Amino acid sequence: MTESDTDDNFRAFRVRPYLLTGGRTRAAVDLPLEALVRTTESGHASLANQSRERHQIVSLCASPQSVAEISAHLSIHLQVARVLVGDLVQEGLVATHVASTEKTTERPDLRLLEQVLDGLQSL
Amino acid sequence: MNASATPIPVKIVVAGGFAVGKSTFVSSISDIDPLTTEAAMTKASEEVDHLGDATGKTSTTVAMDFGRVALSQELVLYLFGTPGQDRFHFMWDELVRGAIGAVVLVDTGRLEACFPAVDYMERAGVPFVVAVNAFDGVLRHHPEDVREALDVPAHVPVLVTDARHRAAVRDTLVGLVRHAMTMATADA
Ligand SMILES: Nc1nc2c(ncn2[C@@H]2O[C@H](COP(=O)(O)OP(=O)(O)OP(=O)(O)O)[C@@H](O)[C@H]2O)c(=O)[nH]1
Ligand SMILES: [Mg+2]
């Protein structure tokens, strides 16, 4: 293998994941890994007209899925999933629970932790 | 849209050295077969990565496996297992953001493998517990010896767990959540 072959392969690897996003690597909205995404009514109505990955996301999220799950189920990089989901959020086709940046950097508060504790103890 | 039908997601990070039982720990309690997501190295992280070449290009991706546990109708817990090597720390910043905290798994045969994780969590101010995975139910070191060897601060719980058993994993998570509550109370 020549030097330039390696270079080409390298470039192909770097670029391909973001073909789906038109080269964009940043999502329109802040989406933590665990942000739950759910298809809206307009999302359901739009299904027939969606491209493959968008269609997959919109149908998958009929029951809420995290961004990480979307990435895993579609076998796409996390950041690519984020960009696609961000677009769908902006278009109102899916909705997500965790919206504000400030909120998601905070640790869960005591009330939420108590609910988690209750939940774990009932497992 | 009925917003109340979407549960609230919470997450816990499962960290530790190579082959310490992170994936086993996650799969023991997950409702689903653990999934894998891949993240590509981001720009900012290239500085801390030593695989990148001189031009800053890098082909590094990190695979993380994760599980999902329904805690109630309103609450879903995600557990993310994460590689322990220093060069994946860029991923940890993202993982610990908004997390309840972390379980740092320890194999007493290779205590040093979890140093980076303990160090990271401490510096990042993430609530964490150290959980000694008793491989085959054999505990080669007493938890307090582990604490001393790892120089874990007195307020951080050192627990014994068994990554293969659901009840043990649940108890470890309960221990972490209690610890996080203590820390949240102290902060308030
Ligand atoms: N006997 C025994 N084997 C275990 C235990 N926990 C994990 N293992 C085994 O140890 C090996 C590594 O466990 P994993 O859960 O894959 O460890 P990991 O930390 O996810 O490993 P990496 O992701 O590769 O770093 C597997 O073959 C497990 O089956 C345990 O408590 N007892
Ligand atoms: Mg693993």
Side-chain angles (χ1 to χ4, degrees), chain A residues 69 71 78 82 107 120-121, chain B residues 37-38 78 94 99 178:
Chain A
E69 282 167 302
S71 145
L78 194 57
R82 279 201 171 115
R107 308 240 161 263
L120 282 170
Q121 284 173 330
Chain B
T37 178
E38 287 204 352
Y78 286 97
E94 147 110 54
R178 284 192 193 284

Side-chain angles (χ1 to χ4, degrees), chain A residues 10 14 30 33-34 36 38 64 66 68-69 71-72 77-78 82 97 104 106-107 113-114 119-121 123, chain B residues 3 5-7 9 11 36-38 57-59 66 68 71 78 94-99 170 177-178 181:
Chain A
F10 203 56
R14 297 252 309 157
D30 183 44
L33 284 171
E34 70 279 14
L36 281 171
R38 189 194 192 107
S66 63
E69 282 167 302
S71 145
H77 280 192
L78 194 57
R82 279 201 171 115
H97 232 31
T104 58
E106 269 175 25
R107 308 240 161 263
L113 289 173
E114 263 157 29
L120 282 170
Q121 284 173 330
L123 285 182
Chain B
T6 304
K11 76 179 159 186
T36 303
T37 178
E38 287 204 352
K57 290 189 297 188
T58 169
S59 59
F66 64 98
R68 170 178 175 148
L71 294 180
Y78 286 97
E94 147 110 54
L95 276 170
V96 302
R97 186 166 71 121
R170 184 202 52 215
V177 174
R178 284 192 193 284
M181 290 171 77

Side-chain angles (χ1 to χ4, degrees), chain B residues 17-24 63-65 81-83:
Chain B
F18 177 69
V20 75
K22 301 179 294 289
S23 300
T24 308
M64 284 180 297
D65 45 7
T82 172

Side-chain angles (χ1 to χ4, degrees), chain B residues 14-28 63 65 81-85 105 107 110 133-138 161-165:
Chain B
V14 182
F18 177 69
V20 75
K22 301 179 294 289
S23 300
T24 308
F25 186 92
V26 170
S27 67
S28 290
D65 45 7
T82 172
Q85 294 90 322
L105 274 182
D107 172 356
R110 294 175 298 123
N133 190 18
F135 263 71
D136 303 316
V138 180
T161 194
D162 186 332
R164 292 165 307 166
H165 290 108

Side-chain angles (χ1 to χ4, degrees), chain A residues 54-114:
Chain A
R54 287 166 53 97
H55 187 282
Q56 285 176 317
I57 295 172
V58 171
S59 36
L60 184 66
C61 296
S63 71
Q65 305 285 327
S66 63
V67 174
E69 282 167 302
I70 293 169
S71 145
H73 285 300
L74 271 66
S75 299
I76 54 179
H77 280 192
L78 194 57
Q79 195 54 22
V80 174
R82 279 201 171 115
V83 175
L84 295 177
V85 169
D87 290 349
L88 292 167
V89 169
Q90 286 212 314
E91 293 164 45
L93 304 182
V94 301
T96 161
H97 232 31
V98 194
S100 119
T101 314
E102 275 126 49
K103 227 176 143 187
T104 58
T105 53
E106 269 175 25
R107 308 240 161 263
D109 62 18
L110 261 183
R111 236 190 83 230
L112 184 53
L113 289 173
E114 263 157 29

